[in-house]
Amino acid sequence: MADGSPDLTTARRSVVVSGFTNSVLDPEAPMLGPVENGGTIIANTAPGCWGPMITPRLRGGHEVTQPVAVAGAEVGDAVAIRIRDVTVTSIATASGHDSSPEGFCLGDPYVAARCPVCDTVWPETHVEGIGQDCVKCDTCGNAVTPFEIVHGYTVTFDDTRTVGLTLPEAAADRIAQNPNHYAALPDASRQHSILSYAPHDMPGAMVRMRPFLGQLGTCPSMAMPDSHNAGDFGAFLVGAPHAYAITSEQLAEHKTDGHMDIDAVRPGAILIAPVKVKGAGVYMGDMHAAQGDGEIAGHTMDVSGSVTLQVEVVKNYPIDGPVLFPLLEDLPPLAKPFSADERAKAQRLANQWSVAEIETVAPISVIGTAANLNDAITNGLERAAKLLGMTVAEVRNRATINGAIEIGRAPGVIQVTFLAPLSRLDAVGLGHYAREQYNL
């Protein structure tokens, strides 16, 4: 429909996504679909971070897929997203720790890149040659570098997509001659490939591949740069000097925390995402080949890939942020379900000490985001307490003895992961996802 609201009368069993946003998630823009409740979304995703970061016409730091409407999803609901498949299609990528040279942006280099010579914001650019000055302004020919790589690498992957190896200068330069091929950029992608920079500061390093989605969620309820749809990066929009400036109150109200960079958002996991616009608008992108907790370099190995999701509406969702049911192997040791032997030992203690009933519990991971990690932890604790009808003090205790606080991304994305009473999960419509995921 013209205002971006999808027509939900003709739902499809599956929707194939091949288009991208201009790095802004806009609830007024048309959505694809709708896909039926329980249907499948299949997408070919483009790399996040470095490619969009060196492409000034893109306005959000990533290049995510066009959102898909889900039939029956209303504001105040959630969408349960079963991640069926995440497959890397890139042959190689490049990344590294960054810096932002002065003069090349209007307040935020992710959102409002600028050519300092002709003073064009979001200039059209093209690539000439290779190296960190290869992106040129179409208007004046100046090299436009909103970001530079301080220490970086080019990495290529084996045919089984299980192992990668960083490359020396000659090999990185060879790949940079045909960057879109090696990046496997989707046809509709508008980004410059970071492979054109040909970084080569640590050749010969092996890496394990463990792909996941750095971006997966639902459309925010106001236009927002895609990489800033979270409490930490979103804080950069507050009072900003560019067109996407918002207030802190608007950020809290409208974001959906789709940009998590949590490495457990991978095949087999179930993500519950809040719905803040009619139809939800499920989108994805920023696939990572692998990443350690915290993404402490600021960036990791961003790749193209294929993704298959199954989506299902959860009615009357009580919180404004995501919940994750990770794979069993991704849970902290203390948050894993108890074995039959452990339960038998606990029952003997209950008999000895006249404990009438032992809780039936299940793992849950509640996402918290904010401008810094301490505030993100507070956000996650408060969301978990509201979700489960507990006090924050009780959540603190449960996360301490039966869970952990995990860092998704610095500066401000965390997981509050712990064993929660299954009856509390049942009360908010999430219990069957825990039973499914952990064979309870």
Side-chain angles (χ1 to χ4, degrees):
M1 297 176 67
D3 64 353
S5 299
D7 177 2
L8 300 182
T9 60
T10 56
R12 299 160 57 186
R13 289 184 296 276
S14 63
V15 172
V16 178
V17 185
S18 59
F20 302 94
T21 69
N22 69 337
S23 297
V24 173
L25 291 163
D26 186 354
E28 298 298 321
M31 296 183 190
L32 298 177
V35 66
E36 70 179 16
N37 186 4
T40 299
I41 301 172
I42 302 166
N44 189 20
T45 66
C49 291
W50 271 109
M53 285 162 54
I54 64 166
T55 310
R57 62 186 165 192
L58 297 178
R59 303 184 180 196
H62 289 157
E63 192 176 26
V64 299
T65 57
Q66 187 177 357
V68 176
V70 181
E74 302 287 345
V75 175
D77 293 338
V79 174
I81 304 171
R82 292 177 174 91
I83 307 172
R84 299 303 192 191
D85 179 68
V86 175
T87 298
V88 175
T89 55
S90 292
I91 302 167
T93 191
S95 190
H97 184 56
D98 71 87
S99 68
S100 299
E102 289 187 15
F104 286 92
C105 71
L106 187 62
D108 186 336
Y110 291 96
V111 174
R114 166 183 172 270
C115 176
V117 174
C118 63
D119 202 29
T120 302
V121 181
W122 303 303
E124 293 292 329
T125 53
H126 61 281
V127 174
E128 293 181 12
I130 65 174
Q132 297 209 48
D133 291 327
C134 70
V135 177
K136 309 290 188 181
C137 177
D138 284 1
T139 300
C140 67
N142 181 62
V144 182
T145 56
F147 291 93
E148 293 177 342
I149 294 179
V150 175
H151 182 276
Y153 51 89
T154 297
V155 58
T156 190
F157 309 116
D158 81 317
D159 289 337
T160 69
R161 297 301 191 269
T162 56
V163 171
L165 186 67
T166 60
L167 300 177
E169 181 175 7
D173 286 353
R174 188 175 73 189
I175 284 175
Q177 301 298 329
N178 194 5
N180 291 358
H181 166 73
Y182 285 100
L185 283 186
D187 293 334
S189 173
R190 300 178 66 209
Q191 68 180 264
H192 302 313
S193 173
I194 190 56
L195 286 166
S196 296
Y197 271 28
H200 52 270
D201 294 319
M202 56 177 198
M206 287 181 60
V207 298
R208 294 184 180 92
M209 296 183 69
R210 192 171 177 268
F212 70 96
L213 290 170
Q215 286 254 26
L216 179 61
T218 52
C219 189
S221 48
M222 70 176 296
M224 188 176 295
D226 53 13
S227 65
H228 290 36
N229 182 23
D232 55 350
F233 272 65
F236 301 141
L237 300 176
V238 176
H242 52 69
Y244 297 101
I246 59 177
T247 66
S248 57
E249 292 78 14
Q250 287 175 315
L251 177 64
E253 177 184 354
H254 296 291
K255 69 181 176 64
T256 61
D257 288 334
H259 181 207
M260 295 180 289
D261 285 337
I262 290 173
D263 62 355
V265 182
R266 65 190 187 103
I270 303 172
L271 180 72
I272 315 297
V275 174
K276 294 193 175 181
V277 298
K278 185 177 179 65
V282 174
Y283 73 94
M284 71 204 83
D286 191 29
M287 186 186 295
H288 295 178
Q291 176 202 295
D293 282 0
E295 197 180 15
I296 204 63
H299 310 286
T300 185
M301 296 173 288
D302 301 298
V303 288
S304 301
S306 61
V307 179
T308 302
L309 310 173
Q310 187 175 16
V311 295
E312 182 176 277
V313 176
V314 179
K315 302 305 289 184
N316 302 317
Y317 186 63
I319 61 172
D320 66 344
V323 164
L324 183 67
F325 292 98
L327 294 174
L328 181 65
E329 64 198 78
D330 290 345
L331 291 168
L334 295 180
K336 292 183 177 179
F338 291 111
S339 67
D341 180 60
E342 289 170 323
R343 291 195 300 271
K345 291 176 180 178
Q347 187 60 57
R348 288 195 290 272
L349 285 171
N351 295 340
Q352 179 183 354
W353 293 96
S354 301
V355 178
E357 184 178 359
I358 298 174
E359 289 182 334
T360 301
V361 292
I364 187 172
S365 189
V366 179
I367 312 306
T369 77
N372 58 69
L373 290 172
N374 285 338
D375 289 345
I377 291 170
T378 297
N379 178 242
L381 293 170
E382 290 176 346
R383 281 176 169 171
K386 183 176 181 180
L387 177 72
L388 300 173
M390 299 176 177
T391 65
V392 170
E394 181 177 350
V395 175
R396 287 180 181 273
N397 279 333
R398 290 183 181 274
T400 298
I401 66 172
N402 277 335
I405 302 295
E406 304 170 274
I407 299 173
R409 175 185 64 240
V413 177
I414 62 92
Q415 299 168 257
V416 182
T417 306
F418 60 102
L419 291 170
L422 194 51
S423 61
R424 302 291 185 97
L425 293 175
D426 285 335
V428 292
L430 300 183
H432 67 286
Y433 297 111
R435 290 182 177 89
E436 170 191 333
Q437 188 72 325
Y438 306 115
N439 196 27
L440 299 175

